[in-house]
Each structure stands twice: as structure tokens, then as C-alpha cells.
Amino acid sequence: MKSAKTLLFSSALAVALSPVVLDDLRAHPHVFVEANIEIVRDDKGNFTELRQVWRFDELFSTTISLDYDENVDGKLDKHEIKKITDIVKESIAEYDFYTAIRAGTEPLEFYEPDEIGAYFEDGKMIMFLSVEPTKPYDFKGAPLRISASDTSYYVAFDFDKENITIDGNDAGCSMDVVHPDFDKLYADDSLSLTESFFNDPQNTSFGDEFHSWATINCS
């Protein structure tokens, strides 16, 4: 069986076949994901669940399809997809399932997802998962902040306001998405963000400022 790391990093093989010059931080990610985020509120207006759908880039999707097509029939069946999602779940658990939830700046704890689901559509792998906070959040103390992000920045997540919905009671809610200013961040850290630094996955761990954040205010 392939290791958990191999699954998430296998798309880097195509990149590794030719030299890569890292002109800035945006050259670092090797897996690209379009994220859709759904915030669930109960009838009292409390935040009770976060649902995510991740659409992976074609290169990663093709690599996974080829690597895990065990019966070589040109497609992934339910057994093969379940094998992939089990490995992914185990792998990204140490990265908080690529999910960050904050009450203002304070982390909100959440239960790990029961499972990760997946299917293929238009040549891309789609994964979906759901997490629940350990207790409902009432929005009174601070806005809810959510990010789909990989702290090593090997996997880059892309989302904007149109990718975010509120299920249930959305009365009195507003939202905004703030993206990092990579030019400024790279200029500030240009001495440490070198090619050798990026090439060693053990070195790369970035703070909140390197990820996009959705802020949800509800009255």
C-alpha cells in the first residue's frame, strides 16, 4: 500500500521531472483545490456543522486515478475510491483535516469527520467531508472565521465569497473573504523562503497570514 504521504504528494512527481525555480511563494504548492464551504446553523442561530467540498486539479486527479486503478479498467470503482479516502483521512488528520475554525482569533475545537467521501466528475476528483464543533457556537463573542488550508502550503486551497453558503438560519449574517498578500509576505520573509527551504517538507509551516480566511458575522 502506498504511504499516506505518497497519496497527497504523488502529483509532485510530474513537477520533479523538470527543474523548478521558485520565484515566489505562489510557486510552492503542487496540489490545487477549489473549495466550497457550507456553514450550518441550528434554529437558534448557533454554528453546528461545517461542510466542505474539495475539487482537485486535473494533474493530481489523473495521477491518483492512474495510481489507484488496481484492476486497470480505466476508472476508479467504489472499493478503489474508499481505499483512497481512507488513506487521505489518516494522512490529513495531523493537519486538522486541512480545516481551521476560529472564534475571532481563538481556535474552536471540532470532532474529526466520520469519513471522507469522493467521486470523479469531469476528470477531477471531488472529496467531501463534514466536521462538527465540540459545542455549538453562538456568534455573540466574536465572528466565526474559517479556512480550508494546508499549513505546509503543499496543497493550495482557493475559495471566495461565492464558494460559501449558510444552511439553516442565515438571518442577520454577512461574510467576507480575505486573501493573503503574497508579494508583501514574501518580501518580508525573503531571506527564509528560499528554494531549499521549500524543497524540504519538514521545514515548511506557515501561519494564518498565509491562508485565505472567511469571516462570518451573524447577529
Side-chain angles (χ1 to χ4, degrees), residues 28-210:
H28 179 58
H30 296 301
V31 180
F32 298 87
V33 179
E34 178 185 319
N36 285 275
I37 298 169
E38 185 176 41
I39 294 100
V40 180
R41 300 178 76 202
D42 62 17
D43 56 3
K44 297 180 180 178
N46 296 325
F47 165 62
T48 58
E49 184 181 3
L50 178 66
R51 302 167 182 163
Q52 297 183 72
V53 179
W54 299 338
R55 183 182 297 271
F56 288 83
D57 66 81
E58 291 183 2
L59 174 59
F60 178 81
S61 300
T62 300
T63 302
I64 294 304
S65 181
L66 292 173
D67 285 349
Y68 288 86
D69 182 12
E70 295 176 348
N71 56 10
V72 198
D73 64 351
K75 59 183 180 180
L76 295 178
D77 58 31
K78 290 183 179 179
H79 167 75
E80 292 162 343
I81 288 179
K82 183 64 164 58
K83 187 173 183 178
I84 292 170
T85 56
D86 285 348
I87 295 172
V88 168
K89 183 182 177 184
E90 178 184 355
S91 172
I92 67 177
E94 64 179 297
Y95 297 97
D96 293 326
F97 300 97
Y98 290 163
T99 299
I101 307 175
R102 306 273 196 269
T105 59
E106 295 297 317
L108 282 183
E109 294 185 356
F110 55 87
Y111 299 110
E112 71 174 49
D114 292 332
E115 62 179 356
I116 295 177
Y119 60 93
F120 265 80
E121 181 180 82
D122 299 329
K124 294 184 177 181
M125 169 160 276
I126 315 296
M127 292 188 182
F128 52 93
L129 71 157
S130 171
V131 299
E132 296 181 3
T134 54
K135 59 181 180 180
Y137 182 65
D138 62 11
F139 288 89
K140 293 179 181 178
L144 185 70
R145 298 174 62 241
I146 291 171
S147 182
S149 55
D150 170 18
T151 54
S152 74
Y153 212 69
Y154 203 100
V155 181
F157 289 85
D158 180 45
F159 60 90
D160 219 317
K161 287 178 65 173
E162 61 266 23
N163 301 104
I164 302 171
T165 57
I166 297 175
D167 181 64
N169 181 5
D170 63 353
C173 291
S174 62
M175 70 179 70
D176 191 22
V177 174
V178 175
H179 302 290
D181 184 341
F182 288 116
D183 290 334
K184 182 179 185 303
L185 289 169
Y186 185 71
D188 291 343
D189 293 317
S190 59
L191 294 179
S192 61
L193 300 181
T194 62
E195 183 172 357
S196 60
F197 178 81
F198 283 124
N199 285 339
D200 182 357
Q202 300 303 316
N203 285 338
T204 52
S205 182
F206 300 103
D208 286 359
E209 70 273 18
F210 283 87

